[in-house]
Amino acid sequence: MSVRVIKILSGIILIIFMIFWSYNMIFKDIKSLIPAEEELYSGIINIGDFPRLTAETGSKYGWIQERIKRFEKRYPGIYIEFTPMDEKEGYSKMKEEMDKGNFPDIIPVNNMFPYFDKLQPLNGYFTEEELESLRIQATNEIKEENDFLSLPVMLTTYTMYLNLDLFNERGVSPPLDGNWTYEEFVDVLKKLTYDSDGDGIVDRYGFLSFVEEDSYNIWGMIISDGAQIIDPKRDRYAFYGEKSMKGLEKVMDLKTKYEVAPGLFGYLDESECWEMFTKEKAIGVYPGGSWLIPTLQRLKDSGEGFNFDIANYPMGDEKLPTVLSSGIISYGIMKGEDEKKTDMCVRFLKYLLEESSQRSLESIGTFPVIRGIEGMYSDDIYMQRIEDSLSYTRYIPVSEEWIGIEKVIQQEVKFAIQGYKTSYEAIEDAKNRVELLLQ
């Protein structure tokens, strides 16, 4: 091989080397600009939840279990253990374990939650855009100046259920467009209160409800004249004064003045009231949660129930229907030392806000917290009407102090309905007890 050829080959090899060297250096520079893929948490996450009945299947925990299954599929390194929680016993059944520090990583949070100090603040994990996507009702939980400790995922509210069979039997028309004044409401209840078998004893009543903690069935009437429980501007207890007394008297009068509620109103518990409404079919109007729609529909379809309709709470001085509810259903994350695990828990909460998860709430009769999800209940006229009335609902923000406040005011309202106290005495006693409690 000639010297000339060798020089040419050497030049070609040098050029090829320089090309590959330059490409490699450029590739390394570009690669250095690309963020390294985040290493996600892999392992076990424990989630607890209360029962949320799926009407079609009868499953109490099917909704959350389906969300868990889909999330595990999205993140193969994650295994989620589910801890079912009892609705009646609330957090008390888990308290012994939680007192030992054995908390679920993700847990439902409401006003009865006893460990607010152990919740992970969520402010830094959600963008302003993500929070602005929530319905205005749900943002009661989230205050810009404070840490928010739980994320709203779904909404429920209350409505008035009407036994249309009793209405028709008595020749009574339901309220036009679901709206009525308190006076119109009482007039209807009087017509639905009668002796059905002619034995001289009234056995059909226009109205019945119960008074229990964390239940606000009757509170739509109590606040209908402008009463407030907590002043939203000053964030202070405000259930006192003329408006509060007037609202409470409206409920008391149903039993004592107008006699359209049984004498045991104020004594009967939830299960007893529900049985009188659904099994005995002895009650014309029954206030209850929006989640009762699937159950009433199932009873009707099986022949065990009755034709029913819904109506708003009777209007008072506010000139609009009013509803009080604690039905902002939220989930929180317990504090932990593993930041990657906390990040994965946040991913699960964000997954519950995705449109597919929000639309799945239809199976459990609750409403989405994300704006713009429309047509979810287009085939269910009752749920559609209740969703349209969500703007009438005043939601109680989750707070550590509410546990004690709520217990006091429910007790005093119950005493008033039972006849042991006047409206003034009950409300003044509640105010004094709450002031001592907060001190």
Side-chain angles (χ1 to χ4, degrees), residues 146-394:
N146 297 323
D147 289 332
F148 76 90
L149 301 175
S150 61
L151 182 75
V153 170
M154 64 188 89
L155 299 172
T156 63
T157 188
Y158 289 93
T159 190
M160 292 272 189
Y161 292 100
L162 317 179
N163 182 332
L164 285 185
D165 290 350
L166 286 182
F167 272 70
N168 293 333
E169 182 181 329
R170 300 293 288 172
V172 181
S173 299
L176 185 64
D177 297 327
N179 292 319
W180 42 10
T181 64
Y182 179 76
E183 292 72 25
E184 292 168 337
F185 173 67
V186 169
D187 185 55
V188 167
L189 298 185
K190 287 178 178 178
K191 295 173 183 176
L192 296 173
T193 303
Y194 65 103
D195 170 15
S196 67
D197 54 14
D199 65 356
I201 300 173
V202 173
D203 54 9
R204 296 290 182 270
Y205 287 91
F207 180 86
L208 182 60
S209 189
F210 56 91
V211 185
E212 293 182 4
E213 290 179 29
D214 203 30
S215 295
Y216 302 93
N217 305 42
I218 61 173
W219 281 84
M221 281 186 283
I222 295 177
I223 65 172
S224 64
D225 295 308
Q228 292 183 327
I229 314 300
I230 303 294
D231 183 335
K233 293 182 179 179
R234 298 189 298 167
D235 197 26
R236 293 177 60 181
Y237 180 78
F239 187 56
Y240 51 84
E242 184 179 344
K243 293 179 180 179
S244 299
M245 284 191 294
K246 186 177 180 181
L248 179 54
E249 284 169 4
K250 284 183 173 180
V251 177
M252 297 166 63
D253 286 347
L254 296 179
K255 183 171 81 169
T256 57
K257 181 177 179 180
Y258 302 115
E259 299 181 338
V260 294
L264 289 176
F265 175 33
Y267 293 93
L268 298 175
D269 62 23
E270 180 179 5
S271 62
E272 292 168 323
C273 292
W274 179 247
E275 183 168 336
M276 287 186 68
F277 181 57
T278 57
K279 291 186 179 180
E280 298 177 24
K281 302 176 178 62
I283 305 300
V285 180
Y286 180 87
S290 54
W291 55 89
L292 297 177
I293 290 281
T295 302
L296 288 171
Q297 190 65 55
R298 189 179 71 252
L299 288 172
K300 175 189 170 184
D301 293 343
S302 68
E304 299 176 35
F306 45 80
N307 293 302
F308 68 93
D309 201 354
I310 60 172
N312 290 319
Y313 281 77
M315 295 179 286
D317 293 344
E318 291 286 274
K319 306 301 181 185
L320 286 172
T322 51
V323 186
L324 186 69
S325 176
S326 61
I328 301 178
I329 297 171
S330 305
Y331 293 85
I333 299 171
M334 306 308 298
K335 290 178 181 176
E337 297 180 359
D338 191 332
E339 292 184 9
K340 289 183 179 179
K341 186 175 186 179
T342 299
D343 288 339
M344 185 58 70
C345 290
V346 170
R347 285 173 184 258
F348 183 81
L349 295 189
K350 290 189 177 186
Y351 167 67
L352 296 183
L353 295 184
E354 291 182 9
E355 183 169 350
S356 61
S357 292
Q358 289 285 285
R359 287 193 175 278
S360 73
L361 296 173
E362 180 182 4
S363 67
I364 54 174
T366 60
F367 302 101
V369 296
I370 297 296
R371 302 174 194 263
I373 297 182
E374 299 176 354
M376 206 167 96
Y377 288 108
S378 57
D379 296 329
D380 190 329
I381 187 64
Y382 303 119
M383 293 299 286
Q384 194 175 41
R385 285 164 57 191
I386 293 174
E387 186 170 20
D388 290 342
S389 71
L390 284 176
S391 58
Y392 302 137
T393 304
R394 300 180 193 173

Side-chain angles (χ1 to χ4, degrees), residues 120-132:
Q120 173 69 44
L122 299 176
N123 302 57
Y125 295 98
F126 291 85
T127 66
E128 184 176 341
E129 183 180 1
E130 286 172 326
L131 298 181
E132 286 179 350

